[in-house]
Amino acid sequence: MIEIPLDIFDLATDAPVTASLRSDLTALNLVEAETLWAPARFKSIAAMLKAGTKPKDIPQHHHWNWWLKAGELSYMDTEVFGIWHSDRWQGLMMITSSVLHRTKIEAQKGKELVYVKYLESAPWNVAAFTKPLNESPKFGAIGTRLLEVAVRRNIVHGFRGRVGLHALPNPETEGFYQRRGMQSLGVDPGAENLPYYEYSEAAAQTFLKGGG
């Protein structure tokens, strides 16, 4: 396992702290994350339901289970990265460079890209999960750092920053990708009508320079 230091933010102090980016995660690592993440999700969901939240209004990724995604580690074009801090996984991302995924932005249509299959911050870092418990998120910039990893990994593959992903259809998630310079290409009928986002080569470079 390769480890690289990177900064995330302690939201209680609004100060950067050094975490560890880890690559080549194993099935065991995904189990380690899910062992802590699942109870945190369910605790928050129970509080939401107790407060009268309708099931359809529960955050869409409440059902994600990283252990069930472990089988995808056997694919040669699939990689999983994680951010480790305070003796636990703070965020995970699975990407693929499969030829099944090609760019859709007209100016670069049909070219190879890195596709983000899953990206998730730990529940205690997500306001939608902490608010029902009258708590505040613990660490910030998790998603941004992982998205940066996807773009940099893309460049290693020689794809010049081209990254694509399907987002969960809600304003918070879509706003996250829009603020980081990804282009919305509308809903994708071939992917359960999920909204599809993509980086152009230029926008990816701007994002890495801090302009996204």
Side-chain angles (χ1 to χ4, degrees), residues 155-201:
I155 293 172
V156 169
H157 282 295
F159 300 163
R160 301 173 62 87
R162 299 186 298 268
V163 170
L165 57 85
H166 288 90
L168 293 174
N170 63 66
E172 182 177 351
T173 300
E174 293 192 64
F176 171 83
Y177 293 117
Q178 292 167 2
R179 290 191 298 274
R180 283 149 188 83
M182 297 195 84
Q183 182 175 333
S184 170
L185 296 176
V187 299
D188 184 352
E192 300 178 346
N193 287 320
L194 291 174
Y196 180 73
Y197 284 82
E198 197 169 283
Y199 269 127
S200 67
E201 296 173 7

